[in-house]
Amino acid sequence: MPPPVTLKSLAAATGFSITTVSRALAGYSDVSPSTRRLILEEAERQRYEPNLLGRLLQGQRSQTIAIVMPTSGPQFPDPFFAQFVAGVGVEAAHAGFDLLLSPQDDPSELAAYRRLVTGRRADGLLLIRTRADDPRIRYLAESGVPFVSFGRTESVAHTAWIDADGVAGQKALTQHLLELGHRRIAYITPPGGLMFTRFRLQGFHEALAEAGLAADPALIIEADLSEQAGKDAASLLLERPDPPTAIVAGNDQTAIGVMHAVRARGLRVGEDVAVGGYDGIPASEHLHPPLTTVYQPIFEIGQLAARSLLALIKAQSASSLPVLVQPELLARASTMGAAYLRGGEAPD
Amino acid sequence: MPPPVTLKSLAAATGFSITTVSRALAGYSDVSPSTRRLILEEAERQRYEPNLLGRLLQGQRSQTIAIVMPTSGPQFPDPFFAQFVAGVGVEAAHAGFDLLLSPQDDPSELAAYRRLVTGRRADGLLLIRTRADDPRIRYLAESGVPFVSFGRTESVAHTAWIDADGVAGQKALTQHLLELGHRRIAYITPPGGLMFTRFRLQGFHEALAEAGLAADPALIIEADLSEQAGKDAASLLLERPDPPTAIVAGNDQTAIGVMHAVRARGLRVGEDVAVGGYDGIPASEHLHPPLTTVYQPIFEIGQLAARSLLALIKAQSASSLPVLVQPELLARASTMGAAYLRGGEAPD
DNA sequence: CAAAGCGTCCAAAACGTTTTGGATTTGAGA
DNA sequence: TCTCAAATCCAAAACGTTTTGGACGCTTTG
């Protein structure tokens, strides 16, 4: 293991002071051209790489943004979180920032956030899965650390957030089903407390109301965002004496479970029962039948969130503007049946 | 923004020196019980969190492991990398380590690795996508930093690695096709240079050889691991005067492209042409038809890799044992056709 | 001729932590 | 009373960097 190359060793080798070496490398003007040349040559020769820690310690900046990652449950491996992280990572990289994934066992605990904030491990934080009353946001707002949340909140007034328009998305999907003639539409809602759950439900109700209909409370079931939960919820719905003709799931994963349940009862997805998902994960297009869903550009949202956070960090104070991204309805065979295959969007 | 809580502020608040505060918190025995109690109470009250940078700079551990993440191309969002990172993250969290995703623009550049190593930002590194001659591994081995690679190499003799047995996996899949009576089996191989490409190809050849067959070079095409590349490669293969009866793709993504190409020619996947994938991503089960593939437990491999690396870091020198994980053949309808649906493994 | 300006350079401080090498006090034993 | 060891504490150094506030010698300006 070779000895580390530092400003000190360069200073010793060139005969100048550490200060002059530092300023020569940084491009300050109070270094004579000949001195600068000598120092640059020596730095090149010894393959000098500045020690990030020394630099950061001095400047109180870590060139790092952090995301607290839930370790309980299969949250991370899901395409949703992964795509978000990827978007953030790409954008952070572009600005020369690293991305710290900090584990979090208990989602309700603030310990992980405290560690990051007071330990100065990160210059800014990204939040995900916001709640109406979110202690994390209250804490971060109070601590003054730059942060951006993916999702809105009611905890604090003026925070930077980016969100996909759940009202519009769910409304579009529901209207699509109404236009196809469905009147008994079931809705498998994500867990309560989460902000996006509320917006989605609002979009669902708005679409029905505008069509002069009221939602049947018996057709609204809460389930978590897993395939199994979707299967169970759909089974319950289909066992009713008056089963729904369409089932909307909380996300695509859940929708896959719903499709299984439908087939298990000998019914055809897209013909006997329409099924809708949410998120538009890549696999949704390749399901059998292809799944009607609402596409959210998660990767891009991650990029926007990172960009927003980096601006906050740079500005050091000014709050950045909230961003509401519009999702896109992808109508496919799981709701349109044979009409989809006859239509323009052939698989090949 | 409240003033930062440091050893200094705790020292000022309690009236002891910085040294004593540090040693009290670290649990040294040369601090009287009453003093320790006072200091711990004050630390608790002010919610002290050690500053990582200071600690790091001093020469201690960073409690962080790093993965260099490729930002070019859609590498990260793919389920493969995401699952690996998730496994690493969970295991790191269990040991109280954070996970640093360090961006890497140009995969051939060592800059990102140098930054991590010389900047002492991470106690250890994880590598992915190894090559036979891998400059990253040579550099890391030379620098003496603990690291574990997912995939083997020929660059350096004794390194810690974990890998899935590509020879066995590809061999099992090929044998499966041979047993179904296929004799003209095409193989769409991943890009050359990567270690796993070589092992997979070896498994393919071994299976054929043991059946007394030789591979037809015209049926082996190199393509990158994308859906489009699979489509293009399969189209080429199917246009031949003597088309293959089975096509094995480099991964599931590529296999999806192959399936599209098969259908585009009016052929039925699993009946007219058998299609095989690799990796066993969750979506593979829900494709139409369900995809025969070789399941690699990526999440668990991530966990094992992290555990291995953490052991290396702890031991500070001893090299950990290589681990070869056995993949599992998942035979489904894309090769077995109707036989699959009649068989035991019904979809529901 | 004194003052001011300019071009170069550098010592020292600061960031927050851990560790080294004592210093001081206390109490016991001689 | 004196010595010695244990118990308790702390000043200072070290990690590598950037920044502050000059110093020094020379030239130009008033």
Side-chain angles (χ1 to χ4, degrees):
Chain A
M1 184 136 62
V5 178
T6 67
L7 287 184
K8 194 195 244 177
S9 70
L10 289 182
T14 57
F16 293 97
S17 72
I18 292 178
T19 304
T20 301
V21 173
S22 172
R23 297 181 75 82
L25 293 172
Y28 280 81
S29 62
D30 61 351
V31 178
S32 79
S34 64
T35 301
R36 182 192 313 281
R37 200 172 44 76
L38 280 174
I39 291 175
L40 288 180
E41 271 173 12
E42 186 62 24
E44 182 69 25
R45 227 175 45 71
Q46 296 200 28
R47 294 186 158 284
Y48 170 74
E49 292 274 349
N51 181 312
L52 206 56
L53 295 173
R55 180 177 275 178
L56 298 183
L57 180 59
Q58 141 73 20
Q60 293 296 287
R61 270 163 277 113
S62 61
Q63 293 275 99
T64 301
I65 60 182
I67 302 180
V68 175
M69 134 181 119
T71 60
S72 61
Q75 308 246 42
F76 181 95
D78 83 16
F80 190 85
F81 189 45
Q83 296 235 353
F84 181 76
V85 170
V88 171
V90 166
E91 202 60 26
H94 195 261
F97 274 62
D98 279 333
L99 177 57
L100 187 68
L101 291 185
S102 195
Q104 161 92 306
D105 303 318
D106 182 350
S108 69
E109 267 304 318
L110 289 177
Y113 295 90
R114 286 221 188 79
R115 236 162 30 95
L116 292 169
V117 170
T118 67
R120 298 282 198 279
R121 287 199 82 157
D123 297 338
L125 271 69
L126 286 172
L127 287 190
I128 202 170
R129 292 264 155 89
T130 52
R131 296 171 169 276
D133 178 30
D134 204 315
R136 306 172 303 168
I137 293 183
R138 284 208 308 275
Y139 169 69
L140 291 177
E142 187 189 343
S143 76
V145 170
F147 72 96
V148 172
S149 64
F150 178 8
R152 285 158 275 180
T153 183
E154 290 173 348
S155 311
V156 179
H158 302 289
T159 68
W161 54 261
I162 180 168
D163 205 353
D165 192 339
V167 176
Q170 199 64 265
K171 192 169 173 178
L173 176 57
T174 310
Q175 282 171 338
H176 165 71
L177 291 168
L178 289 167
E179 281 164 16
L180 290 171
H182 293 279
R183 286 301 173 266
R184 289 190 57 74
I185 304 175
Y187 182 54
I188 302 178
T189 180
L194 295 170
M195 258 334 239
F196 75 84
T197 294
R198 184 189 299 194
F199 289 119
R200 299 265 195 87
L201 200 54
Q202 182 186 336
F204 178 69
H205 281 301
E206 278 184 15
L208 289 178
E210 289 181 11
L213 299 172
D216 179 349
L219 294 186
I220 299 183
I221 299 187
E222 180 173 323
D224 65 41
L225 297 171
S226 71
E227 188 178 324
Q228 188 59 45
K231 206 172 189 171
D232 296 344
S235 297
L236 277 177
L237 288 166
L238 294 170
E239 277 167 11
R240 295 179 59 86
D242 51 351
T245 62
I247 303 179
V248 177
N251 71 354
D252 294 342
Q253 210 68 28
T254 315
I256 289 173
V258 171
M259 285 168 66
H260 278 204
V262 169
R263 272 199 294 271
R265 291 186 69 84
L267 300 170
R268 290 164 303 167
V269 173
E271 306 289 341
D272 304 315
V273 178
V275 175
Y278 213 100
D279 282 352
I281 62 175
S284 64
E285 187 185 352
H286 304 299
L287 295 174
H288 178 59
L291 178 66
T292 292
T293 185
V294 178
Y295 173 68
Q296 307 195 86
I298 307 296
F299 184 88
E300 285 77 10
I301 287 176
Q303 287 186 294
L304 287 172
R307 221 172 291 164
S308 200
L309 179 59
L310 291 168
L312 265 185
I313 291 171
K314 207 167 174 184
Q316 198 60 24
S317 69
S319 66
S320 72
L321 292 176
V323 181
L324 193 59
V325 176
Q326 288 306 316
E328 180 189 357
L329 176 67
L330 301 178
R332 299 193 182 120
S334 76
T335 53
M336 301 179 70
Y340 171 77
L341 298 175
R342 282 195 307 272
E345 200 183 340
D348 274 285
Chain B
M1 184 131 69
V5 178
T6 67
L7 287 183
K8 195 195 245 178
S9 69
L10 289 182
T14 58
F16 292 100
S17 73
I18 292 178
T19 305
T20 300
V21 173
S22 172
R23 297 182 74 82
L25 293 172
Y28 280 80
S29 62
D30 63 349
V31 178
S32 78
S34 63
T35 302
R36 182 191 313 282
R37 201 171 44 76
L38 280 173
I39 291 175
L40 288 180
E41 270 172 13
E42 185 62 24
E44 181 69 24
R45 228 176 45 73
Q46 296 201 28
R47 300 194 172 289
Y48 169 74
E49 293 282 347
N51 179 309
L52 171 80
L53 296 173
R55 181 177 273 178
L56 248 183
L57 183 59
Q58 210 283 328
Q60 287 304 300
R61 316 251 87 73
S62 62
Q63 294 277 100
T64 301
I65 60 183
I67 302 180
V68 175
M69 137 181 117
T71 60
S72 62
Q75 307 245 44
F76 181 95
D78 83 16
F80 190 85
F81 189 44
Q83 295 235 351
F84 180 77
V85 170
V88 172
V90 166
E91 201 60 25
H94 195 260
F97 274 64
D98 278 333
L99 176 57
L100 187 68
L101 291 185
S102 195
Q104 160 92 303
D105 303 319
D106 182 351
S108 68
E109 269 303 319
L110 288 177
Y113 295 89
R114 285 222 187 80
R115 243 167 18 101
L116 291 170
V117 170
T118 65
R120 302 277 277 282
R121 285 207 81 167
D123 297 338
L125 272 68
L126 286 172
L127 288 189
I128 202 169
R129 292 262 155 89
T130 53
R131 296 172 168 275
D133 178 30
D134 204 315
R136 307 172 302 168
I137 292 183
R138 284 207 309 277
Y139 170 70
L140 290 177
E142 186 189 343
S143 75
V145 174
F147 72 97
V148 173
S149 64
F150 178 9
R152 284 159 275 181
T153 183
E154 290 173 349
S155 312
V156 178
H158 302 289
T159 68
W161 54 261
I162 179 168
D163 205 354
D165 192 338
V167 177
Q170 199 65 264
K171 193 168 174 178
L173 177 56
T174 311
Q175 283 172 338
H176 165 71
L177 291 168
L178 288 168
E179 280 165 17
L180 290 171
H182 294 279
R183 286 301 173 267
R184 290 191 57 73
I185 304 175
Y187 182 53
I188 302 177
T189 180
L194 296 171
M195 256 335 238
F196 75 86
T197 294
R198 183 188 301 194
F199 289 119
R200 300 264 196 87
L201 199 54
Q202 183 187 332
F204 178 69
H205 282 300
E206 278 184 15
L208 289 178
E210 288 181 12
L213 299 172
D216 180 350
L219 294 187
I220 299 183
I221 299 187
E222 179 173 324
D224 65 38
L225 296 171
S226 70
E227 188 178 324
Q228 187 60 45
K231 205 172 187 171
D232 297 343
S235 297
L236 278 176
L237 288 166
L238 294 172
E239 277 166 12
R240 296 179 58 86
D242 51 352
T245 62
I247 302 179
V248 177
N251 70 354
D252 293 342
Q253 210 68 28
T254 316
I256 288 173
V258 172
M259 285 167 65
H260 278 204
V262 168
R263 272 199 293 271
R265 291 187 69 84
L267 300 170
R268 289 164 304 167
V269 173
E271 307 289 341
D272 304 315
V273 179
V275 175
Y278 213 99
D279 284 351
I281 61 175
S284 66
E285 188 184 351
H286 303 300
L287 296 174
H288 178 60
L291 179 66
T292 292
T293 186
V294 178
Y295 172 69
Q296 306 195 86
I298 307 298
F299 184 88
E300 285 78 9
I301 287 176
Q303 288 185 295
L304 287 171
R307 224 173 288 164
S308 200
L309 179 59
L310 291 168
L312 265 185
I313 291 171
K314 208 167 171 184
Q316 195 58 24
S317 69
S319 66
S320 73
L321 291 176
V323 181
L324 194 59
V325 176
Q326 289 307 314
E328 180 190 356
L329 176 67
L330 301 178
R332 300 195 181 118
S334 75
T335 54
M336 303 179 70
Y340 171 77
L341 298 175
R342 281 195 308 273
E345 200 184 342
D348 275 284

